[in-house]
Amino acid sequence: MRIPRRTARRTVATAAALAVVLPLSACGGASGGGGGADASGKVEGSITFQTWNLRANFKPYFTGLIAEFEKKHPGTEVKWVDQPAEGYADKLSADAAGGTLPDVVNVSPDLLAPLAKAGLALDLDQAAAKYEKEYLPGAWAGHRIPGLEGTYAFPWYLNTGPLFYNKRLFEEAGLDAEKPPTTYDELFEQSLRIAGKSKGRIATLASIPTIEDFGRYGVPLMNEEGTAFTFNDAKGVELLTRYKELYDAKALDPQALTATPESSGKKFLTQAVAMNPGSALDLEKFRKQAPALYENIGITEQISNTGKDNMYVMGVMVNARTEHTPAAVAFAHFVTDAPRQMEFAKQVAIFPSTAGSLDDPYFTKEDGTDATRVRIAAAESLKTAVNYTPVLMSEQMKTELRNAVARALQGKESPKEALDNAVKACNRLLKQS
């Protein structure tokens, strides 16, 4: 299943432009990596901090944060620039090519990868290794780039989402509504049961498997060097084969091939499917628009064979060529440390990446509200979650996989043929970048 809502994670153009421009303009060399410039000197100087579509809603938070940092470190000045969501990748590409990349930059892993490969991202494992223990292991690892040694951004905010399920539909199929599926074996078994009992009227799922599903199933997605995709191995073929069984039995909604997060949500709202990912905003919508559904809502963890949920992670990168490395590293750490992340998390529906923060009562103590129910469920899963989406996988590559899955479900290609073709296409695109 897909977690479609990435609260505070803006969807923008992919890093394709970066991947094309940077090898021609940067001087990082074939091995990439920004090295480990010395960050131990005096914290001083003027640096520029760039965020990604945050000024409109969070200007007081960031101006206060900057003022606090400058007071803590006399002799520093932080100039804050905020770029719109539209064209953010292009803006990074232009700055990288022109040598005007800010000192501290808000990035997602897919945008970070080409910058790190071009030698423009500072390797924190060398320059700031002392801070690693302050962050969740999965979040710190989320900014490692296949084929490179090192970690290239401080983890910032995280997001994920639990699954909603309709207890009534499970009960009508003779299943224990208090024991929803947590593994893919359980999911497939119970989905077929629900479809069979309802004579194909009720599907359990409304969307096709994505790369995150392959990851949670335990499929190796790329080789260790980051030079080739591998999700067409036997385990990947097994997953797609089992989804084909669901599709044929109408346990996967027939419209899943063209479904959007919105259409999948509507299917769940009208009780045509039994499970769907979502957020606290959805729960409030159910309460107002579908009280009968709301009364039967269950909240459970993501389906996973690995025991680890999927997380979406945002980061803060330090420009390897900054003239003020100590100040840039100190500020990037300051933005992402536990106190600042907790304060930010209470202003927007995101989660801190710092170790221990998710044990705060804000993420553990029920208060009877829907928002808190979902927040607690998501926070618990994030403690051990990982970012399954390969950082080198572009939107175009995801489309290749999506199309291959559709061909297999429709019987136009076997699961193995479809995944073999998808891997070939993705590896070709990988080489082009």
Side-chain angles (χ1 to χ4, degrees):
M1 276 78 50
R2 190 180 175 202
I3 306 296
R5 294 171 180 80
R6 306 185 188 189
T7 307
R9 164 64 164 97
R10 282 78 51 204
T11 301
V12 299
T14 69
L18 282 168
V20 171
V21 173
L22 292 185
L24 301 176
S25 61
C27 305
S31 61
D38 185 9
S40 62
K42 185 177 181 181
V43 176
E44 61 182 359
S46 177
I47 60 173
T48 301
F49 170 48
Q50 177 170 289
T51 53
W52 181 358
N53 195 31
L54 293 174
R55 182 181 292 272
N57 294 322
F58 306 106
K59 182 178 179 180
Y61 170 78
F62 285 102
T63 54
L65 180 150
I66 289 169
E68 187 178 356
F69 178 81
E70 291 175 342
K71 181 178 180 180
K72 181 179 180 180
H73 297 284
T76 61
E77 179 186 14
V78 179
K79 299 176 182 178
W80 176 33
V81 295
D82 185 69
Q83 299 296 341
E86 187 68 28
Y88 190 67
D90 294 333
K91 173 62 176 172
L92 286 179
S93 177
D95 284 342
T100 56
L101 195 68
D103 303 276
V104 180
V105 187
N106 176 194
V107 289
S108 56
D110 58 317
L111 296 181
L112 172 67
L115 295 169
K117 285 191 169 186
L120 294 175
L122 188 67
D123 179 5
L124 301 181
D125 284 347
Q126 295 186 47
K130 65 182 180 180
Y131 297 126
E132 178 179 355
K133 64 182 181 299
E134 297 181 19
Y135 301 88
L136 294 170
W140 187 266
H143 294 95
R144 292 179 179 142
I145 312 301
L148 298 180
E149 294 290 333
T151 301
Y152 293 93
F154 284 100
W156 197 6
Y157 53 87
L158 311 176
N159 223 320
T160 189
L163 279 173
F164 294 140
Y165 69 101
N166 188 321
K167 292 183 178 181
R168 180 181 64 81
L169 297 181
F170 275 76
E171 290 171 349
E172 289 178 354
L175 297 168
D176 186 344
E178 301 306 319
K179 295 182 179 179
T182 58
T183 67
Y184 281 91
D185 283 343
E186 293 171 351
L187 172 67
F188 296 137
E189 178 184 348
Q190 294 185 31
S191 297
L192 291 171
R193 176 76 173 269
I194 291 171
K197 285 288 186 178
S198 67
K199 301 187 184 305
R201 184 177 60 86
I202 302 297
T204 298
L205 306 175
S207 57
I208 62 176
T210 63
I211 194 65
E212 291 93 344
D213 286 288
F214 283 83
R216 287 193 298 257
Y217 195 71
V219 179
L221 305 178
M222 290 195 81
N223 62 16
E224 292 184 2
E225 297 76 23
T227 57
F229 289 93
T230 58
F231 54 80
N232 62 332
D233 83 334
K235 205 164 187 65
V237 173
E238 178 182 277
L239 174 65
L240 187 50
T241 299
R242 299 185 78 176
Y243 262 90
K244 176 71 164 76
E245 294 172 2
L246 296 188
Y247 186 74
D248 291 342
K250 296 186 178 180
L252 175 62
D253 186 77
Q255 297 177 18
L257 300 182
T258 57
T260 63
E262 291 73 23
S263 65
S264 297
K266 187 174 181 180
K267 288 277 186 177
F268 186 74
L269 181 71
T270 58
Q271 304 191 63
V273 297
M275 301 189 82
N276 202 57
S279 69
L281 296 177
D282 293 306
L283 206 55
E284 178 64 16
K285 180 170 64 178
F286 301 154
R287 186 181 67 80
K288 292 181 177 179
Q289 300 180 15
L293 169 64
Y294 181 77
E295 290 176 2
N296 290 287
I297 283 289
I299 302 176
T300 188
E301 58 199 62
Q302 296 173 24
I303 305 298
S304 177
N305 285 356
T306 66
K308 297 179 184 296
D309 284 358
N310 183 61
M311 73 164 64
Y312 300 104
V313 56
M314 191 62 71
V316 176
M317 182 201 93
V318 174
N319 186 344
R321 300 178 187 177
T322 176
E323 295 181 358
H324 302 287
T325 300
V329 169
F331 182 72
H333 173 253
F334 188 78
V335 171
T336 62
D337 70 12
R340 258 54 61 175
Q341 288 211 48
M342 276 299 302
E343 182 182 353
F344 196 38
K346 291 179 180 180
Q347 296 190 30
V348 61
I350 49 88
F351 300 86
S353 63
T354 40
S357 295
L358 296 175
D359 292 323
D360 186 273
Y362 183 71
F363 298 109
T364 60
K365 188 175 180 180
E366 290 279 8
D367 61 7
T369 66
D370 290 336
T372 298
R373 288 174 64 194
V374 176
R375 183 169 66 240
I376 289 173
E380 182 62 30
S381 73
L382 280 171
K383 293 178 182 178
T384 58
V386 297
N387 180 20
Y388 286 107
T389 304
V391 299
L392 301 179
M393 191 169 199
S394 68
E395 290 300 321
Q396 190 174 356
M397 295 172 191
K398 292 176 186 177
T399 298
E400 292 288 350
L401 175 58
R402 197 158 48 241
N403 291 341
V405 168
R407 293 194 300 270
L409 295 181
Q410 293 173 313
K412 295 179 179 179
E413 293 177 353
S414 72
K416 177 168 175 46
E417 289 172 330
L419 291 181
D420 283 348
N421 288 334
V423 163
K424 288 178 183 177
C426 289
N427 286 341
R428 183 176 64 252
L429 290 167
L430 186 65
K431 290 179 181 178
Q432 290 175 358
S433 69

